[in-house]
Amino acid sequence: MLLELQRRNVHRAALFYAGAAWLLVQIATQVFPFFDIPNETVRIVVIAVVIGFPFAMLFSWFYEWTPQGIKLESEIDRSESVTRQTGKTMDRWIIAVLALAVVLLLTDRLALRKPAAASADKSIAVLPFENLSADAENAYFATGIQDEILTRLAKVGALHVTSRTSTAEYSGHPGNLKEIAARLGVAHILEGSVQKVGNKVRINVQLIRAADDTHLWGEIYDRGTDDILGVQGEVATAIAQTLDARLSGEERQQLARKPTLNPAAYDAYLRGLEGHKAAFSPVLLRAASENFAEAVRLDPGFAQAWAYKSIVDGLIHFNRLDLDSGRLEASRSEAAKAMELAPEAAESWLARGYLLYRTLDFDGARTAFAEAGQRLPNSAEVFGARGLVERRAGHYERSIELLQQAIALDPGNISFVSMLVQSLSILGRTAASRIWLDRGLALNPGNAVLISQKAGSYLDEGDIESAGRLLDSQPLDIESGWMMSVKLSLATVRRDFSTVIAGYRAALAAPDFELDGGTLDYYPLLGWSQRWQGDEKAATATFKEGLARIADLRERLGGDSILQASLAMIEAGLGDSEAARRDARLAVESAGNDQIASFATRDAQTSILALAGLRDEALDALGALADDPTAQNLADLRLSPIWDGYRDDPRFKQALAKAEAKIARQNQATVAP
């Protein structure tokens, strides 16, 4: 058989085909991207080469090349075969083709690609663009242009890009660029300004090497608002080329793609981005949703606007900021629309990932965020989102790891620090959480969220003195949910019920007060504080008013874990232990596979059973919590009036000892920055 293969020159045909195919694949993978030929074309070439091999071998077995053309091997004399006549020449051609393929491969590996150690030279931070417009309201436009350039840079795998939140403090005239670059851990800084006058826009950008303040590249773009849509891609491409960051064909297409051709739609989109990217605020989120809605009304094919509208609407729903608006269904249809319009876009996959996360499909969310990460390799948001998924799924160690990666990409992002602290606190790693909080506070002194979280870590340990040193100087701001919650929790364990009552009364009396995910427990907490103070009449009135308002919401909206728990706490206050037991159980059931909500509702159920006087059930539930890996609040267990009638019970003492040992043990696993 081998002799017959050799006689028919099949071995030469196989070698020649392999060499030519390899050369063709090398050309496709290395040259096609420079001409913006899609990656799909490269895949087609590779598949065609593989499929063609057996056909080429069959052809060489049955046919021969003769001076008169191609003929069946069985029909010709051996001397007529060109291949047999020029065997040595054919061998030289095979060697030449293989050599050329090897040279092209080595050129790619050694000449076109930089060593991995040089990757730090491709790191960049985009500082906030200065708004030079006479109208201060145009600040959103400068911020949006900066954000769009940054997003495109994040799509280049060869670059390391610091996220927007880490550079926010350097707005205006930042000062020493070398020091800023050192703090941000980058080698290059992009500065810019935007001036918008009527329908004319001037964008001035310059790329600087921070080490020696060398100006590497700069450009001024004078465009009309109807011609501004491609500038961001032009800037990102120029920066990548200046930093010698090799672009794949797909990356080139992503950078060049215009999200919309409608300037008014793009303007509305930029306004929406400003509200979405700002600090968490129900008012700004609702405004962002309205602006994204305007963008897609003006351009129904604007996939990015559909994606971000889905993300914002889902965030409003998930945080129960708009309890009766159908935001979830809106988010679902918007995510589907974005994917229909642009299945290749990172934003479409982000929208799908957030939707699946918020509907507790954690496997689907992981897949979607992985797809987004392929398209946004430099995105801290993707790592942060993946960390949230793992935390809700109960994979706390993995969540901590991913959130640390997000912080490494975006060290100034307080949201990521706060998320990481929550994951650490769930496991009772209070000492570790304070290390990260101190790091965040060094960058953002006086940040109310971080201060309240640090105080909360002391309360988790039962250290009310340390918590007080942080909180006593802070104002009771009813607009700051984090700070208000922790301050009133501290006042409760101190038995300072007057402060608690005043705080909740002020919040409920505010002209813009709404019952939402952050305020559903105000009525039960106010009512119980009034009872503990001894004002039974006021407590009963509060419980009845809260019962009416929350029960009305349940009738219109159905079950919700926070709503059910708040209702059960009120029913316990009104002496209806059966209703309290029922609704506390429904709160736990409604949490589903959300491990964060599951523990929170089981913790609430335990307190509700205690308040309802269901002693044995409460102590059984408390014992089960003590065996859970999630940590409990030691200040509550030691000092909260909820447990005043239980602390002498041996079962309570055993549960408390377990909770204390759990936090002490976990604190030995400190995770330093």
Side-chain angles (χ1 to χ4, degrees):
M1 184 65 179
L2 290 175
L3 290 175
E4 185 64 14
L5 288 171
Q6 186 174 5
R7 187 184 72 79
R8 293 172 181 253
N9 284 293
V10 174
H11 66 296
R12 282 195 175 102
L15 286 172
F16 187 81
Y17 186 93
W22 189 18
L23 178 61
L24 180 60
V25 169
Q26 292 298 315
I27 292 172
T29 56
Q30 296 176 45
V31 177
F32 282 15
F34 288 100
F35 295 97
D36 293 335
I37 299 174
N39 283 346
E40 287 76 8
T41 306
V42 178
R43 296 189 190 101
I44 291 171
V45 169
V46 174
I47 293 170
V49 162
V50 173
I51 293 174
F53 181 77
F55 293 99
M57 296 306 95
L58 285 171
F59 186 89
S60 66
W61 175 270
F62 289 108
Y63 291 91
E64 280 285 358
W65 182 22
T66 72
Q68 290 76 38
I70 296 173
K71 295 184 178 181
L72 282 170
E73 191 273 342
S74 59
E75 296 176 351
I76 65 171
D77 185 84
R78 182 170 181 170
S79 62
E80 294 183 65
S81 171
V82 173
T83 305
R84 294 190 181 105
Q85 294 171 6
T86 61
K88 291 184 179 180
T89 303
M90 190 71 171
D91 290 342
R92 293 190 189 99
W93 274 104
I94 292 171
I95 293 170
V97 169
L98 289 172
L100 185 58
V102 170
V103 168
L104 194 57
L105 177 65
L106 292 176
T107 300
D108 174 57
R109 292 291 184 268
L110 301 178
L112 296 179
R113 298 187 183 181
K114 302 298 181 186
S119 62
D121 294 335
K122 297 178 177 61
S123 56
I124 183 171
V126 182
L127 298 189
F129 281 15
E130 189 175 2
N131 175 34
L132 298 182
S133 306
D135 187 351
E137 290 187 1
N138 283 330
Y140 78 91
F141 196 83
T143 302
I145 294 295
Q146 175 219 355
D147 197 71
E148 286 283 273
I149 290 173
L150 196 152
T151 299
R152 281 166 173 74
L153 289 172
K155 295 178 180 180
V156 181
L159 294 177
H160 172 86
V161 186
T162 297
S163 296
R164 168 186 171 184
T165 46
S166 289
T167 63
E169 62 179 296
Y170 303 113
S171 59
H173 300 283
N176 191 311
L177 293 183
K178 186 175 182 179
E179 292 179 3
I180 293 172
R183 289 185 66 184
L184 296 173
V186 297
H188 302 91
I189 296 290
L190 183 72
E191 290 186 306
S193 63
V194 178
Q195 185 176 21
K196 184 181 180 210
V197 180
N199 63 350
K200 300 292 183 182
V201 178
R202 166 170 285 193
I203 301 174
N204 187 348
V205 286
Q206 52 184 337
L207 180 66
I208 299 166
R209 185 167 59 217
D212 53 10
D213 206 28
T214 299
H215 184 280
L216 299 179
W217 170 84
E219 189 64 76
I220 296 176
Y221 299 88
D222 285 313
R223 303 284 175 87
T225 53
D226 58 347
D227 192 30
I228 199 68
L229 301 171
V231 168
Q232 299 88 329
E234 293 177 36
V235 172
T237 301
I239 291 170
Q241 292 172 344
T242 302
L243 298 182
D244 198 23
R246 185 180 179 190
L247 296 173
S248 69
E250 186 172 345
E251 287 171 343
R252 287 176 179 272
Q253 291 177 43
Q254 288 283 349
L255 296 185
R257 182 175 290 117
K258 295 180 180 180
T260 178
L261 298 178
N262 187 317
Y266 191 65
D267 189 82
Y269 169 76
L270 293 183
R271 292 179 187 272
L273 274 187
E274 182 185 39
H276 171 52
K277 302 286 186 179
F280 184 87
S281 161
V283 174
L284 291 178
L285 285 173
R286 293 187 187 103
S289 177
E290 292 172 2
N291 281 305
F292 289 134
E294 176 66 5
V296 298
R297 185 190 68 79
L298 293 168
D299 180 4
F302 195 167
Q304 280 181 220
W306 281 112
Y308 276 109
K309 187 168 192 317
S310 172
I311 291 170
V312 169
D313 284 341
L315 186 61
I316 291 172
H317 163 78
F318 194 67
N319 287 278
R320 301 169 176 87
L321 303 177
D322 196 351
L323 290 175
D324 55 354
S325 65
R327 294 271 181 180
L328 178 60
E329 288 308 311
S331 177
R332 196 187 308 277
S333 63
E334 290 151 5
K337 185 67 174 179
M339 189 62 69
E340 174 193 335
L341 291 168
E344 77 291 342
E347 293 82 2
S348 299
W349 287 102
L350 275 176
R352 173 174 287 185
Y354 279 120
L355 174 69
L356 294 172
Y357 161 66
R358 288 163 182 156
T359 53
L360 309 185
D361 180 354
F362 300 134
D363 288 338
R366 288 188 189 97
T367 300
F369 285 134
E371 290 285 349
Q374 291 293 320
R375 294 159 174 81
L376 284 171
N378 289 296
S379 172
E381 181 181 7
V382 173
F383 282 102
R386 291 171 60 198
L388 292 180
V389 170
E390 298 304 336
R391 188 172 72 197
R392 291 277 169 187
H395 304 150
Y396 303 119
E397 298 290 355
R398 180 59 176 154
S399 169
I400 289 168
E401 177 186 333
L402 288 165
L403 289 167
Q404 285 177 312
Q405 290 178 271
I407 292 172
L409 285 169
D410 194 359
N413 192 321
I414 296 306
S415 295
F416 292 144
V417 174
S418 178
M419 292 173 193
L420 175 60
V421 166
Q422 291 172 54
S423 292
L424 290 168
S425 298
I426 286 168
L427 294 177
R429 296 182 186 173
T430 51
S433 72
R434 285 195 290 274
I435 292 174
W436 287 96
L437 286 165
D438 286 341
R439 172 178 171 172
L441 286 167
L443 294 173
N444 295 267
N447 183 276
V449 171
L450 299 185
I451 291 172
S452 60
Q453 283 187 292
K454 187 172 182 179
S457 76
Y458 285 120
L459 288 177
D460 288 342
E461 294 176 342
D463 184 354
I464 62 173
E465 291 184 6
S466 296
R469 283 195 293 270
L470 282 169
L471 294 177
D472 289 343
S473 60
Q474 298 292 323
L476 181 61
D477 182 3
I478 63 174
E479 298 296 328
S480 174
W482 280 93
M483 183 60 73
M484 179 174 171
S485 175
V486 179
K487 276 186 73 72
L488 296 186
S489 293
L490 175 62
T492 299
V493 297
R494 283 174 166 174
R495 310 302 174 101
D496 180 8
F497 300 121
S498 295
T499 295
V500 180
I501 292 167
Y504 286 124
R505 276 181 169 167
L508 291 169
D512 58 348
F513 175 79
E514 293 182 19
L515 276 178
D516 58 31
T519 63
L520 279 167
D521 60 355
Y522 282 14
Y523 278 107
L525 291 174
L526 172 59
W528 278 102
S529 297
Q530 290 167 329
R531 175 162 293 169
W532 291 325
Q533 191 184 45
D535 192 345
E536 185 62 34
K537 182 179 179 181
T540 301
T542 297
F543 287 140
K544 287 182 177 179
E545 181 181 347
L547 179 67
R549 294 197 64 178
I550 296 176
D552 176 64
L553 280 176
R554 184 173 65 173
E555 287 296 319
R556 290 188 287 120
L557 304 176
D560 176 273
S561 59
I562 295 178
L563 185 148
Q564 295 286 168
S566 298
L567 196 57
M569 197 172 181
I570 288 174
E571 289 161 342
L574 291 171
D576 191 345
S577 59
E578 286 302 315
R581 177 195 284 124
R582 178 199 66 222
D583 284 323
R585 175 178 52 80
L586 289 174
V588 174
E589 292 174 356
S590 65
N593 64 335
D594 182 341
Q595 297 304 305
I596 302 298
S598 176
F599 183 85
T601 51
R602 284 186 290 125
D603 188 28
Q605 180 188 41
T606 304
S607 297
I608 291 162
L609 293 172
L611 290 170
L614 301 169
R615 187 179 187 87
D616 289 337
E617 294 177 48
L619 289 171
D620 287 344
L622 185 63
L625 284 180
D627 292 327
D628 193 285
T630 308
Q632 294 162 272
N633 185 309
L634 294 184
D636 276 352
L637 290 177
R638 292 173 182 169
L639 299 166
S640 172
I642 292 173
W643 298 105
D644 279 356
Y646 295 79
R647 290 195 175 89
D648 291 334
D649 192 298
R651 289 175 291 175
F652 180 88
K653 291 180 179 180
Q654 183 182 22
L656 175 59
K658 283 185 177 181
E660 291 172 332
K662 183 162 47 182
I663 287 183
R665 184 173 59 253
Q666 289 283 22
N667 267 334
Q668 296 175 0
T670 296
V671 182

